[in-house]
Amino acid sequence: MRYALVTGGSRGIGRAICIKLAAMGYPVVINYLGNQEAAEATKSAIEQMGGTAQLLRFDISNPQAIEEAIEMWENSHPNDYIAVLVNNAGIRRDNLMVFMQNSEWHNVIDTTLNGFFYTTRRVLKGMMTKRFGRIINITSLSGLKGMPGQCNYSAAKAALIGATKALAQEVAPRKVTVNAVAPGFIESDMTKELPKEELAKMVPMKRFGKPEEVASLVGFLAGEESSYITGEVISINGGLL
Ligand code: NAP
């Protein structure tokens, strides 16, 4: 059976993606870091609509934790594999470069970029052997154009785009697609402290996007109908360039 694993599925965009993939019929593995209550809420939302979901807690920046969690999952699912991986978990530690601490730099790179590497490498073989896979990396407008105060975040998200394009070419013969989705401003805990009204004025659509709008695009990329799209970065930002 084909499962979908969504990193950072407990809240925000990740939660909406879990719900979308479950509605498409995928049993969903909801990864999270520490917010058990939010992860349980995602799981119940899926179960209430008749879907299947399970929680799998691990820190995506810790390769050993990933290995242990996925191995445990595989041992209890001998006939299943992770066919869809959404690398969604991410953090912001904004600061101007001149003030940026080593920890602010490393924490963002460790989560977004190293987390992508560790998690993807671990589940890739299954997809290649089964000759079907969908890897969707949540990058950002910040990784496309760079944002002041976000050298760490822009660097990590831009690197994720490079990795998306390289990996897409490596695994295309095995019918595994690798794409990136680049949201602009989306309503979530990550953006709740930003001056929303002021920022929304910069967006041609004059509003922040909703997690469900991002999830809808991810759902398309996770399905059979997107089989000839790979190595792409698709923006979803209300026209903000
Ligand atoms: P969010 O509401 O802050 O949620 C972050 C999620 O990531 C949570 O589920 C959190 O788990 C999880 N997480 C964080 N560090 C983790 C780790 N080390 N291991 C496992 N899980 C971890 O963020 P969001 O706004 O939904 O953003 C989701 C993705 O979209 C991120 O990659 C972000 O960079 C990207 N993005 C967001 C926006 C936006 O405007 N919101 C725009 C562009 C791109 P816990 O609940 O357990 O803490």
Side-chain angles (χ1 to χ4, degrees):
M1 184 123 186
R2 292 174 179 175
Y3 274 69
L5 166 62
V6 181
T7 67
S10 47
R11 291 183 283 132
I13 295 172
R15 173 182 288 176
I17 292 170
C18 288
I19 292 171
K20 176 70 188 178
L21 296 177
M24 291 167 66
Y26 282 113
V28 177
V29 182
I30 305 164
N31 160 258
Y32 64 106
L33 177 62
N35 197 333
Q36 175 89 16
E37 205 179 316
E40 295 280 4
T42 306
K43 182 171 181 275
S44 338
I46 290 173
E47 287 169 348
Q48 270 166 28
M49 41 179 253
T52 306
Q54 46 197 234
L55 305 185
L56 196 63
R57 178 181 179 173
F58 58 85
D59 177 350
I60 58 161
S61 66
N62 179 340
Q64 201 182 328
I66 293 170
E67 181 58 41
E68 286 167 9
I70 306 279
E71 197 181 337
M72 190 184 74
W73 185 86
E74 283 177 346
N75 289 341
S76 55
H77 291 79
N79 300 315
D80 306 320
Y81 81 107
I82 305 290
V84 177
L85 169 65
V86 185
N87 287 301
N88 163 79
I91 55 168
R92 273 191 333 142
R93 295 289 182 269
D94 297 355
N95 211 340
L96 295 172
M97 170 71 98
V98 70
F99 301 124
M100 191 171 284
Q101 304 297 307
N102 291 350
S103 62
E104 291 170 329
W105 176 266
H106 288 295
N107 289 346
V108 170
I109 303 286
D110 278 349
T111 304
T112 292
L113 184 59
N114 296 340
F116 149 81
F117 169 60
Y118 299 138
T119 313
T120 307
R121 181 181 58 180
R122 184 60 184 75
V123 300
L124 195 54
K125 211 181 277 175
M127 295 184 194
M128 292 171 76
T129 317
K130 300 285 189 315
R131 287 183 155 66
F132 175 88
R134 296 280 185 270
I135 297 168
I136 299 137
N137 300 321
I138 309 300
T139 177
S140 170
L141 179 61
S142 184
L144 286 168
K145 72 172 207 172
M147 296 279 263
Q150 291 200 316
C151 282
N152 48 359
Y153 186 85
S154 296
K157 293 297 194 185
L160 195 53
I161 291 172
T164 299
K165 293 181 177 183
L167 181 60
Q169 295 172 66
E170 290 184 18
V171 297
R174 302 292 183 115
K175 299 191 171 73
V176 177
T177 67
V178 190
N179 290 291
V181 165
F185 291 117
I186 308 296
E187 287 169 8
S188 76
D189 288 346
M190 189 178 270
T191 52
K192 72 179 177 204
E193 275 146 27
L194 299 180
K196 192 171 163 187
E197 284 186 10
E198 215 173 287
L199 292 169
K201 286 183 195 151
M202 292 161 38
V203 182
M205 286 192 185
K206 304 295 175 205
R207 66 173 179 90
F208 277 27
K210 296 188 188 315
E212 292 74 20
E213 291 174 310
V214 179
S216 170
L217 172 57
V218 172
F220 169 68
L221 292 172
E224 298 272 4
E225 289 183 359
S226 63
S227 48
Y228 205 51
I229 302 174
T230 198
E232 279 301 314
V233 186
I234 304 182
S235 289
I236 173 159
N237 57 30
L240 184 64
L241 299 174

